[in-house]
Amino acid sequence: MRWDALFDDMEAQLASVDRLEVEAEIAERSRADVAGVELADRLRGSFGLRVGVHLASGSVFDGTLSHVGAESLVLSDPYHQVLIPYAAVSRYQGLGRLAVAEPSSVRRKLGLASALRGLARDRTGLSVFLIGGAEGVAGLSGVIDRVGRDYFDLAVTRPGEARRAANVSQLATVPFASLGALRSLRGAEL
């Protein structure tokens, strides 16, 4: 009887050590998996959720995550859509834990310049928030005239005015590195 108890105790100890080793291996693999997850994958996993995006400039945008690109995202609310380059963001609120890799190699290559060219083509009226600008205040309003490799030209107009030669007060060249966000009315899809 005593031998049975001794062997049962030894067997339980070995099983406990085996279980701890398996749990430690699972935890290590989980940490390694998380270490390989990119932020864009987390954002894609949060598609459709309501998130808050805090810019380095202090501006905060809140809305439903409606697009996740290679270099930027789009938030939608009932009245506006906001395109935000990842480089302008200091933190996010409300992201889910799910990560989803981009399955399309073509979409992985479409960056901020591609999105801006689409806005220029559609002559979308925009409010431009600049990094270093006053918190929550659009620095410029107008229509994108053309897009270069790392900048865009904005025909500056008063908010709500159509882009006509007589309405353009200046042509502002904005480096991508200075762009905090672009906001358009909801009807003008981003």
Side-chain angles (χ1 to χ4, degrees):
M1 201 52 114
R2 201 168 166 183
W3 289 102
D4 290 338
L6 176 66
F7 288 125
D8 287 345
D9 184 48
M10 288 174 49
E11 189 176 313
Q13 288 179 12
L14 286 173
S16 176
V17 168
D18 286 345
R19 188 174 57 251
L20 289 174
E21 287 176 357
V22 167
E23 288 174 1
E25 184 177 342
I26 289 170
E28 182 59 32
R29 285 184 183 185
S30 179
R31 282 189 290 274
D33 287 347
V34 170
V37 173
E38 293 184 12
L39 180 58
D41 295 342
R42 283 277 310 279
L43 289 165
R44 269 188 290 285
S46 299
F47 184 82
L49 295 180
R50 187 154 191 86
V51 298
V53 179
H54 298 253
L55 304 187
S57 66
S59 296
V60 179
F61 295 96
D62 186 51
T64 302
L65 189 55
S66 60
H67 175 77
V68 178
E71 297 176 337
S72 61
L73 61 89
V74 175
L75 292 180
S76 298
D77 68 28
Y79 305 105
H80 299 99
Q81 287 193 300
V82 183
L83 182 138
I84 304 170
Y86 299 148
V89 179
S90 63
R91 69 185 172 100
Y92 299 90
Q93 271 182 267
L95 294 185
R97 290 184 156 292
L98 182 63
V100 176
E102 176 57 67
S104 168
S105 61
V106 172
R107 288 185 75 169
R108 269 184 251 131
K109 294 175 186 175
L110 296 176
L112 181 59
S114 299
L116 296 179
R117 284 186 188 98
L119 293 170
R121 180 196 64 232
D122 295 344
R123 311 304 282 166
T124 303
L126 303 165
S127 296
V128 180
F129 294 79
L130 300 172
I131 292 176
E135 182 178 331
V137 177
L140 302 166
S141 293
V143 174
I144 296 175
D145 270 352
R146 62 186 184 169
V147 179
R149 183 174 187 193
D150 59 354
Y151 71 92
F152 64 94
D153 288 339
L154 184 77
V156 178
T157 62
R158 285 187 286 242
E161 276 189 349
R163 197 250 182 259
R164 305 271 185 267
N167 297 342
V168 175
S169 63
Q170 66 173 297
L171 185 66
T173 300
V174 179
F176 287 177
S178 296
L179 179 60
L182 296 171
R183 183 174 61 195
S184 69
L185 289 174
R186 180 78 172 167
E189 297 293 315
L190 287 175

